[in-house]
Amino acid sequence: MFDWKWDFAFEILPRLLGATLNTLMAAGAGYAIALVLGLVLALAQRTPVRLLTAVVREGVEFIRSTPLVLQIFFVFYVGPQFGLRLSPWTAGMIAIGLHYAAYLSEVYRGGIEAVPKGQWEACTALSLSTRDTYTRIIIPQALPPALAGMGNYLVGIFKDTPMLSVIGVAELMHTANAIGSEHYRFLEPITMVGVIFLMISLPAAALVRLFETWVRRKLGMIR
Amino acid sequence: MKDLHDLSRYPLRLEGPDRPMVSFRNVTKRYGDLVVLDGLNLDVAEGEMVSIIGPSGSGKTTVLRMLMLERIQGGVIYVDGAPLSHMERGGKLVPANSRHLRAGREQIGMCFQHFNLFPHMTALGNCMEGPVQVLGLSKQAARERAEDLLEMVGMIDKRDEHPARLSGGQQQRVAIARALAMRPKVLLLDEVTSALDPEVIGEVTEVIRKLVQKYRLTIMMVTHQMGFAADISDRVCFFYDGRIEEEGAPADLFSNPQKERTQQFLSAVKSAD
């Protein structure tokens, strides 16, 4: 019943590693979108324009309250009805980037709110512009407390990339599934996918923690 | 009372060689329904050192915050002759927009009870930030200016340290240098010694003494240190319940207070010492 075949495993390894590259690209691109868009969403909620703040707030809540896989389906299959014809890759990146942007905006928001009120007052006392206040004073201080949350979502987005397989993006899960169907053997490909995910996730989490310490030291927050 | 809110009663500018550096005219500040300052009139002359004392909740810190951080609900504030809280539009005063406020506040420096230094910058970086970003000085010019000021406050040896590695007294001295780096016409000191350990208060008051005696800077200082205020001020204002209850030269006010509230406050402070 449990007959692991090493020769089969080695035979499919190159294909899986190729797909791993796709998975990493998907996670990286999605995360890059989420990092930038998340900051935009967080800052939009701090503008004095009440309507904008409310719309963004509700939008973020909406995205966080619905499943990612639904959003992927929506962008890819419903998009064309609105004239938005996207490749699986593009649709997937938009959906996963938007989804994680919503989560990251909350992380940023928490970080920004953790900056003491006195820092804002010091900026006003120096007549710093709003832009300089954010880019030079507030965001550098909001970053260290936000880094742990940002790191969690980096690993999170990586682990969520298999959801892109539902619209046919050739990432790891999709490839493993295809191999399984071709050879009528699922044990090796699916197990190997699990091992590959583990081998990337674990070091990534450790690297994030190292990076966090490095940033804090760089900013003079710790000795 | 209605005519107090008629802005045409206030001049567009204060002219003349004797005009005050800072002038509050009928200034009212409310937080919701709570009236913190009610029709405040206060003039501070150029080079004058005014101390503001009073019990907590008397509105004394609000006087400084209105110049730097908050908007007012009535009256007009002038700095160096020009309206700060308002601006001129078509020959009339209208409430200032944020750009006017920011420009006006460039002439004012402020130091806080809790220093509020930027923790991710060195002492030098803190002092260069405003001159480079706001005044547009070159890095080199800003560095020279910052180093001169750090020298003046006795912190030049610690220029490359981050605030976390400095004591409270040292942080406050850097904060004073940071405020002065903007070359303000007016310096606001909001309880700058209240958060300090007793043994380091002296190093900060020495710096302030230098500013008064050597540089004749216009200073408004909120403080709980009656001895220091008496020693250094040209004038002391006692605030009670959102108004100036009594004001005068420190020698008069401290040794011969006229109003009952002032007497009560001063004797309470004295017995606490």
Side-chain angles (χ1 to χ4, degrees), chain B residues 78-196:
Chain B
Y78 298 87
V79 174
D80 199 17
L84 172 78
S85 57
H86 294 71
M87 56 187 185
E88 192 196 322
R89 279 286 178 277
K92 284 194 294 195
L93 287 182
V94 296
N97 59 22
S98 48
R99 178 188 292 183
H100 179 87
L101 273 174
R102 186 176 298 144
R105 284 167 174 168
E106 276 181 34
Q107 313 168 81
I108 309 171
M110 186 166 188
C111 297
F112 303 89
Q113 181 175 2
H114 297 289
F115 331 127
N116 301 349
L117 290 178
F118 304 133
H120 57 302
M121 297 180 181
T122 62
L124 192 64
N126 267 278
C127 297
M128 288 171 61
E129 188 63 15
V132 171
Q133 303 300 332
V134 180
L135 305 181
L137 260 64
S138 70
K139 282 237 167 94
Q140 182 57 33
R143 170 184 289 268
E144 281 167 16
R145 180 184 285 194
E147 283 178 343
D148 282 351
L149 286 162
L150 287 172
E151 177 86 57
M152 198 269 288
V153 300
M155 288 296 296
I156 192 70
D157 294 342
K158 303 273 187 188
R159 80 190 105 179
D160 296 323
E161 297 285 6
H162 282 84
R165 303 198 59 157
L166 302 175
S167 73
Q170 291 173 329
Q171 287 190 56
Q172 193 61 286
R173 286 188 279 153
V174 172
I176 291 172
R178 176 176 73 173
L180 293 176
M182 296 293 283
R183 295 276 192 269
K185 294 175 181 167
V186 183
L187 182 64
L188 310 176
L189 303 174
D190 187 11
E191 301 197 26
V192 290
T193 55
S194 297
L196 298 180

Side-chain angles (χ1 to χ4, degrees), chain A residues 54-127:
Chain A
V55 167
V56 173
R57 171 91 245 126
E58 292 307 315
V60 166
E61 276 311 309
F62 175 76
I63 293 173
R64 296 199 319 150
S65 312
T66 50
L68 172 59
V69 72
L70 177 88
Q71 290 160 14
I72 294 172
F73 261 103
F74 197 88
V75 173
F76 187 65
Y77 290 112
V78 184
Q81 296 204 353
F82 296 96
L84 200 66
R85 235 165 266 283
L86 301 167
S87 72
W89 264 95
T90 316
M93 289 306 89
I94 289 176
I96 212 165
L98 195 64
H99 186 81
Y100 274 89
Y103 280 99
L104 279 176
S105 76
E106 292 293 290
V107 173
Y108 290 135
R109 219 163 58 92
I112 290 172
E113 276 164 19
V115 177
K117 205 168 119 253
Q119 292 293 311
W120 295 91
E121 294 187 345
C123 291
T124 309
L126 288 179
S127 301

